[in-house]
Amino acid sequence: MSSSSSSSSSSRPAIPGPYRVLFTTLEPLLATGGAVQAFFFPSSLLAATMPSVTYSPSLAPLFTQMTGAWLMLAFHDAVTLRSGSADVRAWRHTLAASAISDVFYSAALVQSMGVARFFNPLRWDLMTAVTVVTTLGPFLGKLCFLAGVGLPKAGGAAETGDGRKTK
């Protein structure tokens, strides 16, 4: 059985190591950390990401929703991407959904910080730097993956997880 699975896996294009580390290890840890902070320490998360907004306990349901969204992201990165480990289409679909979320989270950061501060690292404090870098780094990685940067070419067709090629 091991020889058949190793031969079938060798016929599939591999997801490059940097993408695997970023999306199956680093981002799930970041998302889980954000979820823990959103659920247990929402006022500190708000202070770090949206200092123009004052925390109120009436905001707790929004942070609970954010917790769920970040845990779903962590699950898809850590579990879904690993379960179809060589399926480029599954990775594209999962990362596209995550990138949509990143667009809106980044937009919220811009709304809170203002355009001039968001795009000027010289105006960032440590918490802002951590927030922006840990948001935009994985987001840019997703955009690169979705654009095919560094992905193996399979004769102009992408392979599915079951070895079939699609155009």
Side-chain angles (χ1 to χ4, degrees), residues 1 15-16 41 58 67-69 104 117 119 122 130 138 154 163:
M1 176 158 178
I15 304 296
F41 310 104
S58 65
T67 299
F104 286 94
R117 183 170 176 227
F119 288 105
L122 298 176
V130 168

Side-chain angles (χ1 to χ4, degrees), residues 49-53 103-115 118-119:
T49 59
M50 300 188 185
S52 62
V53 178
V103 165
F104 286 94
Y105 185 70
S106 298
L109 293 175
V110 171
Q111 287 173 332
S112 173
M113 299 162 129
V115 173
F118 183 84
F119 288 105

Side-chain angles (χ1 to χ4, degrees), residues 8 11 21-22 29 33 36 46 53 66 75 79 91 106 124 131 145-146 152:
S8 73
S11 68
V21 171
L22 177 60
L29 291 172
V36 167
L46 190 61
V53 178
M66 186 181 286
F75 177 86
V79 177
W91 275 66
S106 298
W124 297 349
T131 300
F145 187 93
L146 293 170

Side-chain angles (χ1 to χ4, degrees), residues 1-55:
M1 176 158 178
S2 64
S3 66
S4 68
S5 63
S6 66
S7 68
S8 73
S9 67
S10 66
S11 68
R12 294 184 225 149
I15 304 296
Y19 286 133
R20 283 189 186 280
V21 171
L22 177 60
F23 298 122
T24 66
T25 304
L26 181 60
E27 190 173 48
L29 291 172
L30 292 171
T32 300
V36 167
Q37 190 175 19
F39 193 74
F40 293 107
F41 310 104
S43 61
S44 70
L45 177 62
L46 190 61
T49 59
M50 300 188 185
S52 62
V53 178
T54 304
Y55 181 75

Side-chain angles (χ1 to χ4, degrees), residues 64-98:
T64 301
Q65 285 180 336
M66 186 181 286
T67 299
W70 279 340
L71 289 175
M72 181 178 63
L73 170 65
F75 177 86
H76 281 305
D77 281 354
V79 177
T80 304
L81 293 179
R82 287 180 180 167
S83 67
S85 63
D87 187 343
V88 174
R89 279 188 0 183
W91 275 66
R92 283 188 194 277
H93 296 163
T94 301
L95 295 178
S98 180

